[in-house]
Structure formats: structure tokens, C-alpha cells
Amino acid sequence: MIKLLIVEDELITRRGLMRHIPWKKIGVDMVETAESADEAFGICARWQPDIVLSDIKMRGMDGIEMCRQLRSLLPDCQIIFVSSYSYKEYLKAAIELGAIQYVEKPVVPEELIGAVEKGIERIEQIRAQKDLQESYTESLDFLKKEVLFSLLSTPGDVDKLECQLRKSGLWTGTDTRMRIGIVKLAGTVSEGREFLNTYREALHELMESAHFYCSADFHDKRTLILLITEARERLERDSGLIRSLCALAEESKGEFRHFLALGRMVGEPQQLYASYESACQSASSLSYKGFSSCAFSEEVAQDRHFELDREREEAFVNALSRRDKEEAGRILKDIYDDLTDQKAALNSSVKNMYFLLYNHVLRLEKELLSTGKEQKENNRFWDNAQTLQELHTFLAARAMEAIEEREKEGSGGNAVIFQVIEVMKQKYPDKNLCIKDLADAVYLTPSYLSGLFKRRTGTTINQYLTNLRIEQAKLLLRDNSLKLYHVADRVGYEDAAYFARIFKNQTGMTPSEYRENKSR
């Protein structure tokens, strides 16, 4: 059962929230209301709600102070703030209190529903964790062993683990050492098995005689656990085996792009958890190192409070106002470089910095995410971002997009389209050329560029690129000295058979038929 308390001193707003939000449908079983902090304290002591939806600016005690005091009474209660004000102090206080979301008035129902659903999900996770903790109350060490055994799919005590490791050939006990690795993917993988199989094959090729175990499933849909056991010299940081593992991460691309964090080397089964803990610590450096990299146990992100310099914030706002893309981009790059130089962890203070800058971009766009779909997409991004680079790239793209939008209001966006077409004309032979590359070239997001291109040209980017490649292929086919696979390669197709199918779809003739027809 989920119980929610609305704390709002305006009667109209309270009634509106009760009437227009489908509480039962989204999973809230009971809802009560309070018009002041004093009344809310009484209800919380008696009723103990799971979620508190509170206004910030109220008569008497404000919502921030009320929720700060509620934390001691209901530590697991999830908080959602609603307010007509978006002051920096309010945002900072909301983050410090661990609020689910800060919803601005007038409230968009879809946005509030998304925040409540997120709160319900957190409550269910907390309840599941409590159930697990109650199941293992014998000792902290026992709990850690259970977590570790679950991680390695080898339940049992230390002696049993050692026996299983011996039987599997992963541990002989004779100068054998072990390392835990944490593999983090750049995004969630819908076809996780495909990545897992590909990664395992790569490990087999790299390790040759080394023994390893790779978890059979994804933790949180983007994390794998790797156990490597070998002789001491083969697990040293500068060994060929470890260098090969790091190279595998550094060379990863596309949907297989990942980050590898390696824990310290240990010699006994009961020390595996220590290796896992140190791997978790090194995984924190993902925030500033980024994907396609690796980290060792001594590399740890600085998990401290970071605050946006007021002068930089004002300079960024001024650059947006002047539509100065170069200056706005430089400021964002300087902020990003400073954070990476300081090895900043991606904590709430860092996300808050970027969120404040993002709000300035939204004001330039003259919108505040009024559609529920766009709000959910952006909330998902902020929740799932794992690196400073992701935040920087997202914000820079949105800032450039906003400036471009304002600049092209009078020209219909034709300048951007012409620029994209020029890039395609120059790079069409590149087999890896994609919409993201084109969007990066004009500082827009791929989705926005795709829509703009279709509106202005009446065709998609992919279709335009295909047409361009086929027209170039027609010119090359006039040269009888070129083989068909040479022509395919020169216009950006790796597979000559696939090129032939595309060519026929576009022209009604195979490349050979076209060449023969032109030679008559």
C-alpha cells in the first residue's frame, strides 16, 4: 500500500491535485491533505505517509524546513516539491533533502505523475532491501558473503566457495591470485545476451589460458561483474593480460562502448569482497574518465560539493542572450575541463550545476518542458547520466540548438541544412557516417536535426545520403576499369551485394545493367 500526503496552503490547488491526478491508477492507494506544516506533522505521526508532496512557500513554516524535520520522523519518506519559485537556494535544499523532483507551478499533470511513479519505485526498492536485510540478520560479514556469492553465483560459506573455485579450475591455491572487474556499458542494452556473448568471446581471445568468470546477467541493465584468476605475474597492473583487458575497453565503440574498473589483486577466496569493494571505488572514476577507458583501484573520483561560479553563470547567460555560440561553448568547455581536472564524482551538486545552466537554456527556448513526453525524456537523461562528458555534451547541444533556433527564425533554418548537406557531400565515402556525426557538426541533437531536415527538404537524412551515394556511384560506373566492389567502397558501402540491392531499388537496374546501358 502506498500513502501520499499533499501539503498545500491554497485550497484551489489542493482540490485541483485531488481531482485531476488519477492517484489509484498510478499506484497511490490513499491520499490525505494538510494546509500547513503543523497539520502535516500531526498526520505524519499518526498516518506515516510514504510520499509527501509539498509546496515550498507556505504560511508559517515553509516546505523545506518542514521536510527537513520530517526526515528524522520518516527517514524513508519520498519528497516531491512544487513551487512557483525556482530560486537556486530552493533547488539546492531540495537536492540536499534527497527530493525526488522539483515541480514548477503551474503543475503539468504528466510531470507530477512521473515524479510520483519514481517515488513509488524508490519505495518498492527500499522495501525490497529491508526484506533482504531482515532475511540476513546474522552478521554484517555474513551479509557481505551473501552479496558476494550472489555476485559470483556461488552460494555457500568460504570453504564451499574455495571448493567450488578449485573444482571449476578458477583457483588452484598455488600462487594463484584473483581480481574483480566491473564492466559498465555506456547505455542500457536491450539485447544483453548479444553483448555478453561478444564480450566473452573477446575475453577468450585475449586471455588464452587465463581463467575468468563473467556474470551471466546485467546488474541494473548496464553492469557486468568479471572475476579473473591467474598467476600473480599475469595479474599485475603492467602485465600483458591486464593491458589487453584495458585495450578492449579503450577500443570499444557503438553499442559495445564500455568502461572497465579493476579491483585490487587478492590471494584468498575470503578476500574477494575486498577486491570487489576496491573495484567499486575505482568505478567512481567513470564520471571524469568517461567510457572507452579503464581504471584501477587507486583511481577514485572526488566525491565533494561543487558549486557553480556566479561570474561564469552570468557570463553563460549573457552569451545566450547575445546568441554567441562560440562564447557559450567555451564557458561550458571550461566548466567541464575544470571538473575533469578535479576528478569530480557525478554527485547531486555536479548535476545541480548542470541543471541550473540547463534552466537558462530552457528560458532561451521560451519553454519549460510543457509536454509530459519531453519532461520524461529529460528526467530519464538526468537520472541515467553516468559521466561528466554526457552532461557536457547534452547541455552544449541544447545550448547550440537553442541559439540556432533563435538565429534561424527569420531564415527558416536553411543555413543549417545547407551546412549538413555540405558535410554529407564531403564525407559520403565514410562507411561510418551517421546522423549523430552530422548533428555534432552543427551543434544540434540528432532527433532535432532529423526533424528539421525532413521539414525543410521533404526527405530524411538517410534517404538524402543514399541518393547522394547512388548519384556518385553512377559517375564511377562509367569507368569500366573499376570493379563493382571498388565502386561500392568509394561511395560508403562495405558490402558490395548490399550496395547492388540499394542501387537497384533506387534506379530499377543493377549496377552491371546500368554500366552496360551507359556504354552503348
Side-chain angles (χ1 to χ4, degrees):
M1 175 177 287
I2 299 293
K3 296 180 289 185
L4 182 142
L5 173 64
I6 299 172
V7 188
E8 169 63 64
D9 60 354
E10 294 180 0
L11 178 60
I12 294 177
T13 303
R14 290 201 307 274
R15 287 178 175 175
L17 291 173
M18 291 293 290
R19 182 180 302 116
H20 297 297
I21 303 298
W23 299 111
K24 288 281 187 182
K25 186 176 179 180
I26 64 177
V28 177
D29 301 287
M30 299 177 66
V31 181
E32 287 203 17
T33 63
E35 63 178 357
S36 67
D38 289 339
E39 184 180 0
F41 285 131
I43 294 175
C44 288
R46 165 181 57 82
W47 196 51
Q48 297 190 337
D50 301 295
I51 302 174
V52 170
L53 173 62
S54 175
D55 191 7
I56 290 184
K57 202 75 171 177
M58 298 187 297
R59 291 183 292 273
M61 183 183 294
D62 65 26
I64 295 290
E65 183 56 30
M66 178 194 74
C67 289
R68 187 173 285 121
Q69 295 186 27
L70 279 179
R71 273 287 179 231
S72 60
L73 178 63
L74 302 171
D76 295 332
C77 181
Q78 303 302 304
I79 299 170
I80 302 172
F81 285 117
V82 294
S83 179
S84 302
Y85 307 89
S86 56
Y87 297 148
K88 180 179 178 181
E89 291 74 19
Y90 287 163
L91 292 170
K92 180 179 177 181
I95 290 172
E96 290 174 349
L97 284 169
I100 298 169
Q101 199 160 318
Y102 189 104
V103 180
E104 291 190 356
K105 292 181 179 179
V107 173
V108 177
E110 291 85 357
E111 181 180 358
L112 181 57
I113 288 171
V116 173
E117 288 175 340
K118 190 187 300 183
I120 293 173
E121 183 179 349
R122 288 188 185 178
I123 292 164
E124 290 173 348
Q125 290 173 351
I126 291 171
R127 289 175 177 176
Q129 289 172 356
K130 285 187 175 180
D131 290 341
L132 181 62
Q133 289 172 355
E134 290 172 0
S135 300
Y136 304 105
T137 56
E138 295 179 17
S139 69
L140 179 59
D141 287 339
F142 180 76
L143 176 59
K144 286 184 176 181
K145 292 172 188 174
E146 289 298 308
V147 172
L148 177 60
F149 298 155
S150 174
L151 178 70
L152 300 178
S153 300
T154 53
D157 57 22
V158 173
D159 292 336
K160 188 174 182 179
L161 174 60
E162 179 178 330
C163 180
Q164 289 173 339
L165 287 172
R166 285 180 182 276
K167 286 182 178 180
S168 67
L170 290 175
W171 189 68
T172 64
T174 306
D175 194 34
T176 299
R177 297 294 183 269
M178 294 169 281
R179 271 189 189 271
I180 291 289
I182 295 178
V183 181
K184 285 190 170 291
L185 275 71
T188 57
V189 179
S190 56
E191 298 295 334
R193 290 291 172 186
E194 181 181 354
F195 175 84
L196 181 59
N197 293 336
T198 302
Y199 191 67
R200 280 178 168 168
E201 289 175 6
L203 292 178
H204 277 295
E205 293 178 5
L206 288 177
M207 295 191 183
E208 298 177 353
S209 62
H211 301 296
F212 70 90
Y213 168 80
C214 190
S215 58
D217 206 352
F218 288 84
H219 297 255
D220 70 21
K221 295 185 179 180
R222 59 174 59 181
T223 306
L224 288 171
I225 307 302
L226 179 66
L227 166 64
I228 318 161
T229 60
E230 250 298 340
R232 176 195 290 270
E233 62 271 17
R234 296 207 66 200
L235 286 186
E236 296 286 357
R237 177 169 177 169
D238 59 351
S239 69
L241 175 60
I242 298 301
R243 288 202 303 269
S244 296
L245 271 176
C246 291
L248 181 62
E250 292 164 359
E251 294 168 3
S252 62
K253 297 178 181 178
E255 60 182 323
F256 294 144
R257 193 160 56 99
H258 64 277
F259 168 84
L260 174 64
L262 287 164
R264 66 183 179 87
M265 183 168 58
V266 297
E268 299 293 336
Q270 59 267 36
Q271 296 174 326
L272 274 174
Y273 193 79
S275 181
Y276 173 65
E277 283 187 318
S278 62
C280 289
Q281 291 175 350
S282 63
S284 68
S285 65
L286 167 62
S287 61
Y288 66 88
K289 298 194 76 169
F291 289 101
S292 296
S293 63
C294 68
F296 291 86
S297 54
E298 56 268 31
E299 299 178 72
V300 180
Q302 296 296 314
D303 191 9
R304 60 185 182 81
H305 183 79
F306 291 88
E307 199 160 315
L308 181 62
D309 180 78
R310 184 63 181 171
E311 291 183 0
R312 272 184 174 173
E313 182 181 2
E314 291 176 352
F316 180 69
V317 172
N318 290 334
L320 291 176
S321 301
R322 298 193 310 270
R323 313 293 190 261
D324 190 339
K325 290 187 294 184
E326 183 176 347
E327 179 65 4
R330 184 194 63 76
I331 293 169
L332 293 178
K333 184 65 165 58
D334 286 346
I335 293 172
Y336 168 73
D337 289 342
D338 285 350
L339 290 171
T340 52
D341 288 344
Q342 296 178 67
K343 300 181 178 180
L346 199 58
N347 55 27
S348 59
S349 67
V350 172
K351 284 194 173 184
N352 185 43
M353 286 173 57
Y354 277 97
F355 191 76
L356 290 175
L357 293 170
Y358 180 53
N359 273 333
H360 292 307
V361 175
L362 291 181
R363 292 189 184 96
L364 177 62
E365 294 178 341
K366 299 178 182 177
E367 63 176 350
L368 287 175
L369 298 178
S370 57
T371 64
K373 181 180 179 181
E374 186 175 357
Q375 178 66 55
K376 284 187 176 182
E377 288 176 352
N378 282 289
N379 286 344
R380 193 179 299 115
F381 169 79
W382 291 108
D383 291 341
N384 293 336
Q386 299 183 83
T387 66
L388 294 169
Q389 185 178 30
E390 285 176 281
L391 293 182
H392 169 71
T393 302
F394 172 81
L395 183 57
R398 286 301 295 261
M400 297 306 109
E401 178 181 320
I403 293 174
E404 289 281 357
E405 184 67 23
R406 298 287 78 82
E407 286 182 340
K408 68 177 182 281
E409 284 178 341
S411 63
N414 291 332
V416 174
I417 301 303
F418 291 150
Q419 188 177 350
V420 170
I421 290 174
E422 282 302 312
V423 173
M424 283 194 279
K425 287 180 178 178
Q426 294 171 14
K427 296 188 176 182
Y428 71 87
D430 183 357
K431 302 174 183 63
N432 297 316
L433 182 62
C434 61
I435 293 176
K436 184 180 184 304
D437 296 331
L438 298 172
D440 289 344
V442 292
Y443 303 101
L444 297 178
T445 61
S447 59
Y448 183 84
L449 176 61
S450 297
L452 179 64
F453 195 94
K454 180 68 181 293
R455 289 194 301 272
R456 299 306 178 200
T457 66
T459 186
T460 66
I461 291 176
N462 284 332
Q463 185 59 55
Y464 191 98
L465 181 58
T466 298
N467 293 341
L468 177 62
R469 283 171 167 167
I470 295 304
E471 290 304 315
Q472 295 300 317
K474 288 178 180 178
L475 297 176
L476 293 173
L477 285 168
R478 295 176 182 177
D479 184 350
N480 291 325
S481 66
L482 292 176
K483 302 292 186 182
L484 293 183
Y485 63 84
H486 287 150
V487 174
D489 181 71
R490 291 190 184 185
V491 296
Y493 292 100
E494 191 169 8
D495 186 338
Y498 178 70
F499 161 68
R501 289 198 300 273
I502 296 296
F503 190 93
K504 186 171 183 179
N505 287 339
Q506 292 290 111
T507 65
M509 293 181 284
T510 66
S512 298
E513 290 171 343
Y514 181 86
R515 169 175 279 172
E516 182 178 348
N517 185 52
K518 289 297 179 181
S519 63
R520 290 175 183 174

